[in-house]
């Protein structure tokens, strides 16, 4: 194990945190995200009939940045950067005048941008029913897509169990399942609303992945209240927060896992109230459904 750890650290895939624990490096998270996105890309293309595009803006507006050329790119070459790369390579002893690895293209950007809140259920049932890994892969794929294709968008990852929390990608990927009762959708929607309000000029999008009806809400003092079956106060608080998102003109989609009829009925009523959608994708199609829905809202 020590040898494996040393090898992974030498490859830049693991690093030590301030508390001494091991955690995935940004390089490892990017690699995981690339794999997750690649795995669902064919599913998304198949259901939408669209080809993946590397252009982040349909108008092709130059952002001032460049990136290495990759197969399928249609953006114009950035000639100064391309020639500089060739000169640097030749200075290292390579005699070729120009190589494909030298080519850089002009980055483009969209006029429109989106503020996206991905709220994922981390209650014990998600672990117990084998939904933990598909949920993480979904977050990885969406994060990779936004960070590489739609860099002007702002993604917030929000976990919710007994309470909700805005987390970084590494925290979510490293999160271990714990026996904690409660599905505090109220708190998750509250944090999503705070994220959207910080970006008033962006298209507001809220994506909720859950396998159970709300069974917890925040009290006025900030402490979580849990009850099963759900208290009327929990339902009232959750609906009230959804109404605030509706006031922000947020596009809300619920991705429900499992076959809980109470959850299906509740989310259907929530979607009707806010003009949103309910999707029941199954574990195999969860990532593709979330990514396709995000792209649909961007269009």
């Amino acid at each position: 194990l020590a040898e494996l750890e040393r090898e992974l650290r030498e490859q830049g895939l693991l690093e030590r945190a301030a508390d001494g624990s091991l955690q995935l490096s940004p390089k490892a998270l990017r690699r995981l995200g690339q794999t997750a996105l690649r795995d669902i890309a064919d599913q998304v293309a198949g259901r939408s009939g669209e080809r993946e595009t590397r252009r982040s803006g349909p108008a092709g507006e130059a952002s001032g940045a460049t990136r290495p050329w990759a197969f399928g790119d249609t953006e114009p070459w950035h000639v100064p950067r391309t020639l500089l790369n060739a000169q640097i390579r030749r200075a290292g002893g390579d005699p070729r005048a120009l190589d494909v690895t030298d080519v850089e293209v002009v980055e483009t950007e969209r006029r429109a941008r989106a503020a996206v809140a991905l709220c994922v259920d981390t209650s014990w049932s998600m672990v117990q029913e084998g939904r933990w890994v598909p949920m993480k892969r979904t977050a990885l794929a969406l994060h990779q897509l936004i960070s590489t294709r739609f860099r002007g968008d702002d993604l917030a990852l929000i976990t919710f169990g007994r309470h909700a929390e805005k987390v970084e990608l590494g925290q979510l990927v490293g999160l271990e399942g714990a026996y904690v009762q409660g599905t505090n959708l109220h708190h998750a929607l509250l944090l999503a609303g705070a994220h959207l309000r910080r970006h008033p000029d962006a298209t507001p999008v809220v994506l909720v992945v859950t396998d159970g009806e709300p069974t917890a809400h925040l009290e006025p003092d900030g402490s979580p209240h849990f009850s099963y079956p759900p208290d009327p106060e929990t339902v009232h608080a959750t609906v009230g927060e959804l109404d605030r998102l509706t006031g922000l003109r947020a596009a809300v989609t619920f991705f429900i896992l499992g076959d809980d009829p109470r959850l299906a009925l509740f989310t259907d009523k929530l979607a009707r109230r806010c003009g949103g959608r309910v999707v029941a994708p199954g574990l195999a199609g969860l990532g593709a459904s979330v990514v396709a829905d995000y792209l649909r809202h961007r269009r």
Side-chain angles (χ1 to χ4, degrees), residues 208-226:
V208 179
V209 177
T210 185
D211 69 348
E213 59 184 324
T215 55
H217 68 276
L218 282 188
E219 296 283 12
D221 63 359
S223 62
H225 169 78
F226 166 75

Side-chain angles (χ1 to χ4, degrees), residues 35 54 78 91 98 107 125-126 150 195 207 212 218 223 264 281 297:
T35 302
R54 298 181 64 87
H78 192 283
L98 187 65
E107 278 269 48
S125 60
M126 291 284 289
F150 303 101
H195 175 66
L207 310 171
L218 282 188
S223 62
H297 287 311

